[in-house]
Amino acid sequence: MKYIPFSKPDFSHLEEQACLEVIRSGWLTAGPKTALFEKKFGEYIDVKHALAVNSATSALHLGLKSLGIKSGDYVLTTTYTFTATADAIRYVDANPIFVDIDPKTLCLDPEKIEDKIQILKKRRELNKLKAIIPVHFGGHSCPMDEICEIARKYNLKIEEDAAHAFPTKYKGRFIGSIGDVTCFSFYSTKPITTGEGGMLCTDSDEIAEKVRITRLHGISKDSWKRFINFDRGWEYDVVNLGYKYNFTDIGAAIGLIQLKKAEKMRKAREKISQNYFNNFSDIPGLILPYPACSFKEHSWHLFVIQIDGKRTPSGINRNQMIRILKKANIGFGIHYKPLHKMTYYRQIYSFKSDEFQVAEKIFNRCLSIPIYSALRESEQSYIIETIRKALLSDKKN
Ligand SMILES: *Cc1c(COP(=O)(O)O)cnc(C)c1O
């Protein structure tokens, strides 16, 4: 079998055509295509402002800045995420407060958030806690009702990391307008892609205006407008320290095509997940995802299986399975090595060894297998066959 990559974008001649059009137009950076992509994306998820930037990491950073998170503040988030989530907290010189996850959804567990808040209270540090970043892990929405309730109770802002969650719904409503700010990723492996890219969404005019200025060098369009007259059209003002986080029209042109087929691609991933459930559910020691939502509200960005080597008929564990997949030419991922285990975060903060028991356990067992709309049926069958054979074969030795 030819190598089956862990992830692969679903592109056709339409994306190629769209790029060519932009190249021939002569306008490559953020311009008319970006404006149109923002409009269409915002309409799709029903949010007032959708602001395109060059990555979700940039969006997370700008979001925290515009929410007023600053040096010394605390921001609570999951340890079970990609480092970008916590990096953004460090960019504003705030400190991440990591919390353990729900073993079923692998998302933040509201009870554990409460427990952590009580600990901060006891330490008289609760006043430093300013925000929560829920991560919609693998495309499964976090329990937003409970998280919003906690945010209200303790006066915290919510910035959602929705890098995996387009299109994901929570109780019938698209992820993107629940928290104060929601950040999407269009990185190459994500559910829709523009190569690199991100979108910051908010219903707040005030946040949107701050982000608009900060994403491009702190240049204020308003003051620019004030100065515009026939002979001074060149004049602009820098009102803040800003960043070079703007998007490009080439990316936007690709994004517009991807947006149109986002639900079709999601449905294809849902079908693959069904195929995996149908063919894996009878294997002892193979733990499958346990969605608490309906299948059609899940973006199915990741399909994370867990292998309990003590219970599999063959005695194969996760690390042995990795070797088998490599030999079989099947790409895989590990989502995630928890952030509290990373050198950078361990060096700055001290963690108690038993603080993140669920994350530790799942990290040792987890394996993400390919799930994307360009994954052919024959490839799915080959993946299923390879994993079944490895787990069900007679004990080695
Ligand atoms: C990919 C990812 C990001 C960062 O997205 P970029 O667009 O690559 O910056 C943030 N959070 C999570 C959970 C991710 O998986």
Side-chain angles (χ1 to χ4, degrees):
M1 180 62 86
K2 232 180 88 207
Y3 180 64
I4 302 172
F6 171 63
S7 115
K8 191 169 139 191
D10 190 340
F11 283 168
S12 73
H13 67 283
L14 292 174
E15 281 86 353
E16 293 176 11
Q17 195 75 43
C19 284
L20 202 58
E21 209 180 283
V22 172
I23 290 167
R24 287 181 177 160
S25 79
W27 189 270
L28 301 182
T29 185
K33 286 285 178 194
T34 300
L36 186 60
F37 183 42
E38 289 177 332
K39 184 170 174 286
K40 297 281 182 190
F41 193 91
E43 284 170 3
Y44 195 111
I45 58 170
D46 195 19
V47 68
K48 194 166 176 195
H49 303 280
L51 297 152
V53 286
N54 60 359
S55 73
T57 309
S58 304
L60 288 162
H61 180 194
L62 293 183
L64 290 179
K65 258 196 109 65
S66 61
L67 290 170
I69 309 303
K70 53 185 192 315
S71 183
D73 287 347
Y74 289 174
V75 178
L76 188 149
T77 192
T78 166
T79 186
Y80 213 68
T81 182
F82 182 57
T83 186
T85 315
D87 291 350
I89 300 170
R90 295 296 300 142
Y91 292 165
V92 296
D93 199 28
N95 299 300
I97 303 292
F98 294 127
V99 172
D100 204 5
I101 47 168
D102 177 329
K104 286 178 176 163
T105 63
L106 314 190
C107 291
L108 272 179
D109 181 337
E111 274 181 31
K112 288 171 185 153
I113 297 176
E114 262 297 346
D115 291 348
K116 186 64 94 176
I117 285 176
Q118 292 313 315
I119 291 171
L120 292 176
K121 206 173 188 173
K122 248 183 234 150
R123 285 200 225 132
R124 298 180 187 283
E125 289 180 3
L126 188 53
N127 61 334
K128 290 188 185 174
L129 184 63
K130 297 291 161 63
I132 304 181
I133 306 184
V135 178
H136 303 296
F137 182 93
H140 189 300
S141 64
C142 291
M144 291 311 294
D145 283 349
E146 289 82 351
I147 290 173
C148 289
E149 184 54 42
I150 291 172
R152 253 192 308 274
K153 193 166 153 194
Y154 299 101
N155 195 21
L156 308 173
K157 302 288 185 192
I158 297 177
E159 169 165 277
E160 294 172 63
D161 182 337
H164 302 174
F166 183 78
T168 288
K169 285 183 176 175
Y170 176 71
K171 297 190 176 174
R173 170 180 176 187
F174 278 112
I175 289 296
S177 62
I178 300 173
D180 298 284
V181 169
T182 304
C183 304
F184 294 92
S185 173
F186 309 130
Y187 178 66
S188 305
T189 60
K190 302 290 157 83
I192 71 167
T193 183
T194 61
E196 297 280 0
M199 192 74 83
L200 185 151
C201 295
T202 183
D203 276 329
S204 154
D205 296 341
E206 194 189 325
I207 292 171
E209 193 48 31
K210 281 184 190 162
V211 171
R212 237 178 234 119
I213 293 169
T214 320
R215 74 174 160 180
L216 194 63
H217 301 296
I219 294 171
S220 163
K221 272 199 189 149
D222 282 349
S223 52
W224 181 76
K225 271 185 215 149
R226 251 185 280 134
F227 280 109
I228 284 186
N229 58 45
F230 289 113
D231 50 3
R232 292 183 75 184
W234 52 268
E235 182 121 27
Y236 62 86
D237 194 14
V238 175
V239 294
N240 265 315
L241 178 61
Y243 301 89
K244 184 70 199 314
Y245 283 173
N246 58 299
F247 198 43
T248 74
D249 264 20
I250 296 181
I254 299 172
L256 281 162
I257 308 288
Q258 290 269 295
L259 195 58
K260 275 193 200 140
K261 58 187 193 192
E263 178 55 21
K264 196 171 143 229
M265 295 193 290
R266 193 206 63 78
K267 274 210 183 88
R269 293 191 300 273
E270 183 184 324
K271 200 167 158 224
I272 295 169
S273 80
Q274 276 295 355
N275 194 17
Y276 286 152
F277 276 107
N278 292 342
N279 286 287
F280 285 148
S281 55
D282 61 330
I283 307 178
L286 177 60
I287 300 146
L288 299 177
Y290 200 99
C293 61
S294 92
F295 269 44
K296 60 180 198 306
E297 300 210 312
H298 196 312
S299 78
W300 293 109
H301 170 55
L302 296 177
F303 197 89
V304 179
I305 60 172
Q306 295 171 53
I307 300 171
D308 179 358
K310 288 192 203 83
R311 283 168 53 216
T312 57
S314 63
I316 292 278
N317 62 25
R318 194 274 310 270
N319 290 346
Q320 289 165 311
M321 183 61 83
I322 285 176
R323 271 178 244 129
I324 290 164
L325 292 186
K326 271 188 183 161
K327 248 202 207 146
N329 257 342
I330 297 170
F332 63 91
I334 299 293
H335 301 92
Y336 287 100
K337 175 173 168 181
L339 294 183
H340 71 270
K341 296 180 83 72
M342 300 295 186
T343 303
Y344 172 71
Y345 288 103
R346 283 208 336 251
Q347 280 175 348
I348 310 183
Y349 308 103
S350 56
F351 303 110
K352 279 202 222 93
S353 60
D354 61 347
E355 237 181 307
F356 309 103
Q357 288 180 15
V358 178
E360 291 272 344
K361 183 164 153 189
I362 291 171
F363 164 56
N364 288 317
R365 292 173 168 185
C366 71
L367 185 63
S368 303
I369 57 176
I371 182 165
Y372 46 87
S373 46
L375 187 68
R376 290 192 293 265
E377 269 178 35
S378 60
E379 295 172 320
Q380 294 167 42
S381 301
Y382 175 69
I383 293 165
I384 289 165
E385 192 192 326
T386 305
I387 292 173
R388 282 190 69 85
K389 222 172 90 186
L391 294 177
L392 292 173
S393 67
D394 287 336
K395 257 201 170 68
K396 305 251 153 58
N397 314 320

XYZ file of all heavy atoms in Angstrom, residues 231-310:
659
model
N -5.274 66.075 -1.100
C -3.815 66.062 -1.256
C -3.096 65.347 -0.098
O -1.888 65.278 -0.076
C -3.270 67.474 -1.457
C -3.783 68.423 -0.406
O -4.512 67.973 0.506
O -3.478 69.608 -0.502
N -3.849 64.839 0.895
C -3.181 64.143 1.991
C -3.687 62.707 2.167
O -3.713 62.177 3.264
C -3.343 64.932 3.278
C -2.566 66.245 3.225
C -2.672 66.968 4.521
N -1.842 66.360 5.553
C -1.830 66.789 6.818
N -2.612 67.779 7.189
N -1.056 66.219 7.700
N -4.093 62.076 1.052
C -4.611 60.701 1.095
C -3.588 59.689 1.586
O -3.941 58.589 1.974
N -2.323 60.062 1.615
C -1.257 59.137 2.026
C -1.159 59.052 3.544
O -0.509 58.163 4.077
C 0.090 59.636 1.476
C 0.342 61.077 1.839
C 0.023 62.167 1.096
C 0.920 61.560 3.053
N 0.346 63.309 1.753
C 0.909 62.978 2.952
C 1.462 60.958 4.188
C 1.412 63.790 3.976
C 1.965 61.767 5.201
C 1.920 63.172 5.093
N -1.795 59.927 4.252
C -1.530 60.052 5.677
C -2.236 58.983 6.522
O -3.395 58.673 6.300
C -1.989 61.440 6.161
C -1.703 61.668 7.610
C -0.805 62.858 7.856
O -0.807 63.794 7.035
O -0.106 62.825 8.872
N -1.496 58.444 7.487
C -2.120 57.507 8.429
C -1.437 57.667 9.771
O -0.366 58.277 9.881
C -2.007 56.070 7.921
C -0.589 55.568 7.779
C 0.073 54.997 8.866
C 0.082 55.675 6.571
C 1.383 54.544 8.738
C 1.386 55.229 6.431
C 2.031 54.665 7.524
O 3.310 54.234 7.400
N -2.049 57.097 10.796
C -1.477 57.202 12.132
C -1.279 55.812 12.724
O -2.021 54.876 12.409
C -2.424 58.010 13.029
C -1.738 58.432 14.321
O -0.489 58.323 14.390
O -2.445 58.851 15.244
N -0.253 55.695 13.571
C -0.056 54.461 14.345
C -0.503 54.771 15.759
O 0.102 55.597 16.438
C 1.419 54.012 14.323
C 1.628 52.809 15.238
C 1.849 53.678 12.897
N -1.597 54.124 16.192
C -2.189 54.497 17.477
C -1.793 53.543 18.599
O -1.996 53.831 19.766
C -3.734 54.586 17.386
C -4.139 55.737 16.478
C -4.335 53.264 16.900
N -1.250 52.386 18.222
C -0.872 51.365 19.197
C 0.281 50.572 18.633
O 0.517 50.617 17.433
C -2.030 50.379 19.376
C -2.900 50.760 20.543
O -2.392 51.097 21.615
N -4.194 50.714 20.330
N 0.921 49.775 19.521
C 1.863 48.815 18.976
C 1.044 47.674 18.373
O 0.239 47.057 19.055
C 2.786 48.269 20.075
C 3.775 47.223 19.588
C 4.722 47.785 18.530
C 4.562 46.651 20.751
N 1.249 47.423 17.094
C 0.489 46.357 16.437
C 1.408 45.268 15.921
O 2.617 45.286 16.163
N 0.822 44.324 15.213
C 1.571 43.167 14.706
C 1.337 43.015 13.212
O 0.461 43.654 12.636
C 1.119 41.899 15.442
C 1.330 42.009 16.920
C 0.338 42.554 17.740
C 2.532 41.643 17.505
C 0.531 42.686 19.102
C 2.736 41.773 18.870
C 1.735 42.297 19.666
O 1.923 42.442 21.009
N 2.139 42.148 12.610
C 1.960 41.855 11.168
C 1.242 40.518 11.055
O 1.850 39.484 10.801
C 3.336 41.814 10.479
C 3.246 41.622 8.971
C 2.687 42.855 8.292
C 2.135 42.646 6.893
N 2.847 41.901 5.945
N -0.057 40.538 11.320
C -0.845 39.307 11.411
C -1.908 39.214 10.319
O -2.826 38.422 10.416
C -1.552 39.242 12.766
C -0.685 38.850 13.952
C -1.204 38.909 15.244
C 0.629 38.407 13.798
C -0.451 38.535 16.349
C 1.396 38.040 14.893
C 0.853 38.108 16.175
O 1.593 37.742 17.267
N -1.807 40.092 9.300
C -2.886 40.104 8.309
C -2.886 38.863 7.423
O -1.889 38.168 7.288
C -2.807 41.371 7.444
C -1.478 41.475 6.740
O -0.440 41.551 7.379
N -1.496 41.443 5.427
N -4.013 38.602 6.810
C -4.209 37.447 5.936
C -3.812 37.831 4.509
O -3.380 38.960 4.268
C -5.692 37.042 6.017
C -5.983 35.648 5.540
C -5.170 34.580 5.872
C -7.120 35.394 4.761
C -5.466 33.290 5.440
C -7.422 34.103 4.331
C -6.601 33.064 4.667
N -3.963 36.895 3.562
C -3.659 37.204 2.166
C -4.874 36.874 1.279
O -5.677 36.013 1.632
C -2.469 36.382 1.618
O -2.911 35.037 1.400
C -1.297 36.392 2.584
N -4.947 37.531 0.136
C -6.068 37.263 -0.770
C -5.955 35.901 -1.458
O -6.967 35.325 -1.855
C -6.208 38.390 -1.808
C -7.247 39.418 -1.368
O -7.556 39.462 -0.153
O -7.773 40.155 -2.228
N -4.739 35.383 -1.582
C -4.606 34.029 -2.144
C -5.254 33.030 -1.188
O -6.051 32.177 -1.590
C -3.123 33.649 -2.386
C -2.512 34.572 -3.449
C -3.006 32.185 -2.833
C -1.069 34.259 -3.784
N -4.924 33.165 0.102
C -5.529 32.294 1.114
C -7.044 32.442 1.132
O -7.776 31.446 1.224
N -7.511 33.670 1.038
C -8.957 33.926 1.095
C -9.672 33.283 -0.092
O -10.775 32.745 0.050
C -9.223 35.422 1.133
N -9.035 33.327 -1.255
C -9.642 32.731 -2.452
C -9.804 31.224 -2.260
O -10.845 30.643 -2.591
C -8.786 33.028 -3.682
N -8.778 30.594 -1.672
C -8.873 29.153 -1.371
C -9.957 28.931 -0.314
O -10.782 28.024 -0.427
C -7.515 28.604 -0.866
C -6.429 28.765 -1.937
C -7.636 27.134 -0.466
C -5.018 28.427 -1.457
N -9.948 29.792 0.706
C -10.898 29.660 1.808
C -12.345 29.751 1.348
O -13.211 29.027 1.861
N -12.617 30.613 0.380
C -13.993 30.758 -0.120
C -14.489 29.449 -0.746
O -15.646 29.075 -0.576
C -14.060 31.906 -1.132
C -14.105 33.306 -0.509
C -13.728 34.382 -1.520
C -15.493 33.591 0.080
N -13.595 28.764 -1.447
C -13.969 27.469 -2.049
C -14.148 26.419 -0.947
O -15.111 25.654 -0.943
C -12.888 26.981 -3.049
C -12.557 28.069 -4.083
C -13.315 25.674 -3.714
C -13.607 28.327 -5.100
N -13.208 26.393 -0.003
C -13.264 25.415 1.084
C -14.541 25.594 1.915
O -15.152 24.623 2.348
C -12.020 25.571 1.978
C -10.734 25.121 1.289
C -10.439 23.655 1.556
O -10.186 23.246 2.681
N -10.483 22.855 0.507
N -14.899 26.854 2.140
C -16.090 27.167 2.934
C -17.336 26.554 2.300
O -18.193 25.998 2.986
C -16.230 28.691 3.020
C -17.178 29.279 4.054
C -16.803 28.836 5.444
C -17.166 30.809 3.957
N -17.407 26.638 0.952
C -18.575 26.112 0.241
C -18.723 24.614 0.440
O -19.829 24.094 0.428
C -18.454 26.417 -1.256
C -18.962 27.794 -1.615
C -19.118 27.928 -3.117
C -19.153 29.397 -3.508
N -18.425 29.685 -4.730
N -17.586 23.900 0.582
C -17.722 22.448 0.708
C -17.431 21.962 2.123
O -17.279 20.759 2.343
C -16.829 21.748 -0.323
C -15.363 22.068 -0.244
C -14.665 21.423 -1.460
C -13.176 21.422 -1.294
N -12.465 21.080 -2.527
N -17.426 22.884 3.092
C -17.082 22.513 4.472
C -18.017 21.439 5.028
O -17.571 20.479 5.659
C -17.106 23.747 5.367
N -19.312 21.586 4.787
C -20.268 20.617 5.343
C -20.175 19.272 4.613
O -20.291 18.218 5.238
C -21.690 21.190 5.298
C -22.788 20.262 5.799
C -22.588 19.698 7.218
O -21.827 20.286 8.010
O -23.187 18.643 7.519
N -19.905 19.338 3.310
C -19.730 18.097 2.544
C -18.514 17.322 3.078
O -18.568 16.103 3.261
C -19.536 18.451 1.063
C -19.719 17.293 0.127
C -19.736 17.756 -1.319
C -19.034 16.731 -2.192
N -18.035 17.316 -3.094
N -17.436 18.047 3.353
C -16.226 17.396 3.881
C -16.487 16.869 5.292
O -16.017 15.801 5.657
C -15.041 18.376 3.880
C -14.612 18.803 2.469
S -13.005 19.647 2.414
C -13.381 21.203 3.196
N -17.234 17.643 6.089
C -17.558 17.189 7.447
C -18.366 15.893 7.408
O -18.087 14.954 8.142
C -18.350 18.270 8.203
C -18.449 18.025 9.716
C -19.679 18.679 10.329
N -20.904 18.103 9.787
C -21.415 16.928 10.161
N -20.838 16.218 11.096
N -22.514 16.463 9.580
N -19.345 15.859 6.503
C -20.180 14.653 6.366
C -19.321 13.455 5.979
O -19.540 12.348 6.472
C -21.263 14.867 5.304
C -22.520 15.512 5.829
C -23.739 15.027 5.019
C -25.011 15.720 5.467
N -25.244 17.005 4.750
N -18.350 13.690 5.094
C -17.459 12.599 4.671
C -16.666 12.084 5.881
O -16.482 10.876 6.050
C -16.527 13.083 3.567
N -16.215 13.006 6.732
C -15.480 12.577 7.946
C -16.399 11.845 8.914
O -16.000 10.863 9.534
C -14.824 13.787 8.636
C -13.708 14.438 7.828
C -12.914 15.444 8.660
N -13.719 16.530 9.179
C -13.983 17.666 8.521
N -13.479 17.871 7.309
N -14.725 18.612 9.069
N -17.644 12.312 9.011
C -18.596 11.628 9.893
C -18.807 10.182 9.422
O -18.861 9.254 10.233
C -19.938 12.389 9.895
C -20.959 11.794 10.840
C -22.322 12.483 10.759
O -22.376 13.709 10.568
O -23.331 11.769 10.881
N -18.862 10.019 8.104
C -19.055 8.685 7.532
C -17.853 7.785 7.842
O -18.024 6.606 8.161
C -19.256 8.812 6.010
C -19.906 7.623 5.406
C -20.381 7.898 3.978
C -20.528 6.569 3.242
N -19.972 6.599 1.890
N -16.666 8.367 7.768
C -15.461 7.588 8.093
C -15.497 7.189 9.575
O -15.179 6.048 9.933
C -14.183 8.395 7.772
C -14.077 8.643 6.257
C -12.934 7.669 8.283
C -13.002 9.642 5.856
N -15.922 8.110 10.423
C -15.983 7.789 11.850
C -16.964 6.632 12.076
O -16.688 5.724 12.851
C -16.355 9.024 12.685
O -17.742 9.254 12.651
N -18.094 6.652 11.351
C -19.066 5.548 11.455
C -18.431 4.229 11.049
O -18.633 3.200 11.701
C -20.278 5.814 10.551
C -21.342 6.691 11.173
C -22.002 6.039 12.393
O -21.727 4.889 12.738
N -22.851 6.792 13.071
N -17.666 4.285 9.968
C -16.978 3.093 9.475
C -16.029 2.543 10.545
O -15.985 1.345 10.805
C -16.218 3.468 8.196
C -15.749 2.248 7.410
O -16.224 1.133 7.626
N -14.802 2.469 6.511
N -15.287 3.462 11.191
C -14.380 3.044 12.262
C -15.162 2.461 13.433
O -14.796 1.404 13.974
C -13.524 4.228 12.736
C -12.411 4.636 11.786
C -11.942 5.956 11.751
C -11.796 3.709 10.937
C -10.916 6.351 10.895
C -10.773 4.094 10.074
C -10.333 5.415 10.064
O -9.315 5.796 9.220
N -16.236 3.136 13.849
C -17.050 2.608 14.966
C -17.568 1.205 14.631
O -17.495 0.295 15.453
C -18.226 3.542 15.267
C -17.879 4.682 16.179
C -17.762 5.975 15.696
C -17.649 4.459 17.536
C -17.427 7.039 16.545
C -17.321 5.514 18.391
C -17.207 6.801 17.891
N -18.083 1.044 13.401
C -18.659 -0.247 13.011
C -17.637 -1.372 13.045
O -17.974 -2.506 13.352
C -19.244 -0.171 11.594
C -20.459 0.734 11.539
O -21.059 1.033 12.578
N -20.821 1.189 10.350
N -16.388 -1.037 12.733
C -15.390 -2.100 12.588
C -14.447 -2.264 13.778
O -13.628 -3.177 13.786
C -14.559 -1.847 11.323
C -15.338 -2.162 10.066
O -15.564 -3.326 9.746
N -15.798 -1.131 9.383
N -14.566 -1.377 14.753
C -13.653 -1.448 15.899
C -14.341 -1.752 17.226
O -13.681 -1.986 18.230
C -12.906 -0.108 16.065
C -11.815 0.126 15.050
C -11.524 1.422 14.625
C -11.053 -0.912 14.538
C -10.505 1.671 13.705
C -10.036 -0.685 13.620
C -9.762 0.619 13.199
N -15.692 -1.698 17.228
C -16.366 -1.690 18.542
C -16.298 -3.023 19.273
O -16.586 -3.083 20.466
C -17.813 -1.238 18.384
O -18.443 -2.069 17.438
N -15.889 -4.087 18.581
C -15.880 -5.411 19.229
C -14.513 -5.789 19.799
O -14.332 -6.907 20.256
C -16.315 -6.470 18.199
C -15.353 -6.519 17.010
O -14.752 -5.465 16.683
O -15.179 -7.604 16.413
N -13.541 -4.880 19.761
C -12.179 -5.263 20.174
C -11.907 -4.854 21.626
O -11.913 -3.660 21.940
C -11.116 -4.619 19.244
C -11.433 -4.948 17.777
C -9.710 -5.098 19.626
C -10.478 -4.322 16.783
N -11.664 -5.828 22.512
C -11.352 -5.481 23.904
C -10.062 -4.664 23.980
O -9.127 -4.906 23.213
C -11.137 -6.849 24.577
C -11.660 -7.871 23.631
C -11.624 -7.277 22.260
N -10.041 -3.693 24.849
C -8.826 -2.899 25.036
C -8.676 -1.784 24.019
O -7.746 -0.979 24.111
N -9.592 -1.726 23.043
C -9.571 -0.618 22.080
C -10.696 0.334 22.464
O -11.878 -0.014 22.356
C -9.759 -1.116 20.647
C -9.818 -0.031 19.564
C -8.544 0.801 19.520
C -10.067 -0.648 18.184
N -10.306 1.504 22.970
C -11.302 2.456 23.465
C -11.570 3.493 22.381
O -10.634 4.144 21.891
C -10.795 3.120 24.769
C -10.564 2.019 25.819
C -11.772 4.169 25.270
C -9.414 2.306 26.748
N -12.825 3.614 22.004
C -13.197 4.515 20.905
C -13.675 5.857 21.448
O -13.987 5.974 22.628
C -14.296 3.848 20.071
C -13.876 2.520 19.420
C -15.036 1.886 18.678
C -12.687 2.724 18.475
N -13.720 6.888 20.572
C -14.228 8.188 21.037
C -15.630 8.019 21.637
O -16.363 7.115 21.254
C -14.282 9.030 19.757
C -13.339 8.388 18.814
C -13.346 6.928 19.141
N -15.941 8.899 22.549
C -17.208 8.793 23.263
C -17.920 10.136 23.200
O -17.971 10.868 24.184
C -16.922 8.396 24.713
C -18.103 7.806 25.435
C -18.233 6.422 25.570
C -19.083 8.622 25.978
C -19.310 5.880 26.227
C -20.174 8.076 26.638
C -20.278 6.710 26.763
O -21.348 6.172 27.413
N -18.453 10.478 22.007
C -19.043 11.811 21.883
C -20.267 11.992 22.777
O -21.103 11.107 22.875
C -19.424 11.921 20.405
C -19.362 10.540 19.859
C -18.494 9.722 20.749
N -20.321 13.142 23.450
C -21.479 13.489 24.274
C -22.471 14.296 23.453
O -23.520 14.683 23.945
C -21.016 14.289 25.494
N -22.133 14.559 22.188
C -23.018 15.320 21.300
C -23.519 14.382 20.213
O -23.075 13.242 20.119
C -22.237 16.468 20.661
S -20.846 15.928 19.647
N -24.442 14.872 19.393
C -24.879 14.063 18.262
C -23.768 14.082 17.203
O -22.995 15.037 17.126
C -26.198 14.588 17.693
O -25.938 15.512 16.662
N -23.700 13.025 16.403
C -22.622 12.901 15.415
C -22.594 14.082 14.446
O -21.536 14.494 13.986
C -22.766 11.585 14.632
C -22.030 10.451 15.257
C -22.090 10.245 16.623
C -21.257 9.586 14.491
C -21.402 9.194 17.221
C -20.560 8.535 15.072
C -20.636 8.340 16.432
N -23.782 14.624 14.126
C -23.793 15.682 13.115
C -23.397 17.046 13.667
O -23.195 17.987 12.916
C -25.128 15.731 12.374
C -26.351 15.995 13.224
C -27.577 15.995 12.305
C -28.769 16.658 12.961
N -29.154 16.128 14.274
N -23.237 17.164 14.985
C -22.767 18.438 15.560
C -21.246 18.438 15.752
O -20.669 19.417 16.212
C -23.464 18.689 16.903
C -24.971 18.783 16.776
C -25.622 19.686 17.810
O -25.300 19.542 19.007
O -26.441 20.537 17.417
N -20.606 17.337 15.424
C -19.171 17.121 15.640
C -18.454 17.381 14.303
O -18.918 16.911 13.269
C -18.998 15.654 16.070
C -17.687 15.314 16.707
N -16.480 15.680 16.170
C -17.401 14.630 17.837
C -15.500 15.223 16.953
N -16.042 14.588 17.977
N -17.344 18.113 14.327
C -16.636 18.344 13.055
C -15.829 17.120 12.623
O -15.406 17.026 11.484
C -15.701 19.553 13.174
O -14.520 19.201 13.875
N -15.618 16.178 13.562
C -14.813 14.980 13.288
C -13.451 15.344 12.699
O -13.004 14.782 11.710
C -15.569 13.991 12.383
C -16.743 13.417 13.109
C -18.055 13.679 12.886
C -16.703 12.512 14.237
N -18.837 13.006 13.802
C -18.032 12.286 14.636
C -15.669 11.867 14.946
C -18.374 11.454 15.706
C -16.003 11.050 16.010
C -17.342 10.852 16.380
N -12.804 16.346 13.312
C -11.454 16.716 12.889
C -10.456 15.618 13.247
O -9.533 15.330 12.485
C -11.045 18.032 13.550
C -9.605 18.374 13.374
N -9.025 18.457 12.118
C -8.618 18.628 14.261
C -7.741 18.759 12.264
N -7.468 18.861 13.541
N -10.627 15.018 14.438
C -9.726 13.942 14.858
C -10.529 12.691 15.188
O -11.680 12.781 15.631
C -8.939 14.347 16.115
C -7.973 15.521 16.030
C -7.362 15.782 17.410
C -6.871 15.285 15.002
N -9.904 11.543 14.983
C -10.466 10.295 15.496
C -9.398 9.677 16.392
O -8.421 9.107 15.919
C -10.846 9.343 14.356
C -11.774 8.249 14.796
C -13.154 8.430 14.756
C -11.280 7.043 15.282
C -14.019 7.427 15.174
C -12.143 6.043 15.712
C -13.517 6.232 15.656
N -9.585 9.883 17.701
C -8.581 9.437 18.676
C -9.012 8.112 19.263
O -10.045 8.025 19.930
C -8.407 10.485 19.802
C -7.382 9.993 20.825
C -7.983 11.828 19.231
N -8.224 7.070 18.999
C -8.477 5.785 19.651
C -7.522 5.661 20.832
O -6.487 6.338 20.881
C -8.307 4.590 18.675
C -6.876 4.536 18.101
C -9.312 4.677 17.544
C -6.588 3.283 17.276
N -7.889 4.848 21.809
C -6.981 4.564 22.924
C -6.760 3.065 22.984
O -7.703 2.289 22.812
C -7.582 5.041 24.239
C -7.762 6.547 24.329
C -8.568 6.913 25.564
O -8.241 6.515 26.681
N -9.640 7.655 25.371
N -5.513 2.688 23.208
C -5.182 1.267 23.265
C -4.680 0.918 24.663
O -3.656 1.444 25.117
C -4.127 0.901 22.199
C -4.688 1.214 20.809
C -3.734 -0.570 22.313
C -3.695 1.098 19.695
N -5.468 0.084 25.350
C -5.088 -0.385 26.671
C -4.398 -1.738 26.500
O -5.065 -2.780 26.393
C -6.350 -0.505 27.539
C -6.033 -1.016 28.933
O -4.848 -1.309 29.210
O -6.976 -1.125 29.738
N -3.081 -1.704 26.443
C -2.285 -2.896 26.141
C -2.501 -4.055 27.099
O -2.215 -5.206 26.770
N -3.033 -3.740 28.293
C -3.283 -4.828 29.259
C -4.512 -5.633 28.886
O -4.708 -6.745 29.378
C -3.479 -4.239 30.671
C -2.190 -3.725 31.290
C -2.399 -3.436 32.776
C -1.379 -2.436 33.275
N -1.804 -1.029 32.984
